[in-house]
Amino acid sequence: MAKKVSLLALVLTLMFVSSSFAVPNPPSKGQWAYPLEEYLPLYRKADGNSRSEEIKMPMKWISVPSATRDSNNYLWYKVNVNGKTGWLPQNGIRLKMGGKSKSASNIYKNYAKARRKIMANPRGWSSATDDGITTYITEGAEFMVRKTKNGVEDLYFTTNRFEICREMLGVDLIDMTQPEVRSKLGTPTLRETPYDDPDMSVLSFELADRNMTLVIAERRENGDSEGTVMSVELYRGTRNNPDY
């Protein structure tokens, strides 16, 4: 049976997952944090009950020599900010973790093949073209392409339906836990959590062979220790500098 989510819920999810802003590229080696808020609390310990002080964050990548999880399985990052050493909770932070992903590149190959089939026979998909960009839509999914003299340029894809995810990407990521995602795809290039929603996590896998990024949005529900995948995106550009 197909999983169904209201159109409004899908739109709100896409607004969050797609929202980003241009930030500097992180250093190529090591683990680094980029603050997504101007001010964040810096804790003495990796514990929400420990003493904290609100600190003005520098708009740059901060070295993270170590990270740990608390008893609720939330991440904490050890940092030094303005000469003060302490711990930042995961919410409000974009974390640079690994390099580019060969697994995500292989997923794109599946996507491109499935997308070509739909364009040749768009049964169940509607399409509309505006300013040279064609958008194909079906329940719980859409993708955008631009036709050029060199062929078709992929701009954007998203879905929150497991059968569409399996058909388009060759793997059903919807409802996977984060450990299951990591076992399939390896270490993300980036992970982040919005400041006001600590139960949301976004994992970004930059493709190894092209300027595209696979983005997976997860949410923890009802006190679960792990989040599960609620939607998937594939788009041109990087998480730090999207280009679609």
Side-chain angles (χ1 to χ4, degrees), residues 53-70:
E53 178 183 359
E54 195 165 84
I55 299 292
K56 183 176 175 61
M57 291 288 113
M59 293 296 98
K60 66 178 184 179
W61 291 93
I62 305 167
S63 178
V64 179
S66 63
T68 189
R69 290 184 180 271
D70 62 21

Side-chain angles (χ1 to χ4, degrees), residues 185-202:
L185 296 176
T187 302
T189 310
L190 301 166
R191 81 167 307 281
E192 66 192 84
T193 295
Y195 179 71
D196 59 354
D197 194 353
D199 289 320
M200 172 77 81
S201 295
V202 179

Side-chain angles (χ1 to χ4, degrees), residues 70-228:
D70 62 21
S71 59
N72 292 315
N73 204 32
Y74 292 109
L75 278 165
W76 291 79
Y77 309 128
K78 189 174 185 180
V79 296
N80 184 289
V81 180
N82 301 328
K84 297 182 179 182
T85 299
W87 293 85
L88 292 173
Q90 66 182 32
N91 48 313
I93 293 294
R94 178 173 295 171
L95 185 72
K96 185 267 180 180
M97 299 181 67
K100 293 183 181 294
S101 172
K102 292 182 179 178
S103 297
S105 294
N106 291 332
I107 281 178
Y108 170 77
K109 294 175 184 177
N110 284 295
Y111 167 76
K113 183 178 179 180
R115 184 261 298 154
R116 286 193 293 268
K117 288 182 179 179
I118 291 170
M119 292 181 68
N121 182 18
R123 185 183 305 173
W125 293 73
S126 62
S127 65
T129 301
D130 181 37
D131 197 25
I133 295 175
T134 302
T135 302
Y136 290 79
I137 298 175
T138 192
E139 183 182 0
E142 70 174 84
F143 66 88
M144 293 187 294
V145 296
R146 179 190 289 120
K147 293 183 179 179
T148 70
K149 62 181 181 180
N150 297 320
V152 174
E153 181 181 17
D154 289 302
L155 301 178
Y156 180 79
F157 163 75
T158 188
T159 188
N160 67 342
R161 289 176 58 188
F162 67 86
E163 70 272 29
I164 297 289
C165 188
R166 183 175 59 244
E167 174 189 356
M168 299 295 289
L169 304 184
V171 57
D172 175 16
L173 297 169
I174 304 299
D175 281 342
M176 277 191 181
T177 64
Q178 187 165 140
E180 290 171 334
V181 171
R182 293 283 295 271
S183 72
K184 287 284 186 182
L185 296 176
T187 302
T189 310
L190 301 166
R191 81 167 307 281
E192 66 192 84
T193 295
Y195 179 71
D196 59 354
D197 194 353
D199 289 320
M200 172 77 81
S201 295
V202 179
L203 308 180
S204 301
F205 298 83
E206 294 180 7
L207 275 61
D209 60 346
R210 66 192 66 239
N211 184 32
M212 295 191 76
T213 302
L214 177 70
V215 177
I216 297 170
E218 304 174 342
R219 175 173 289 284
R220 289 171 60 163
E221 300 284 359
N222 302 321
D224 291 341
S225 62
E226 296 287 351
T228 56

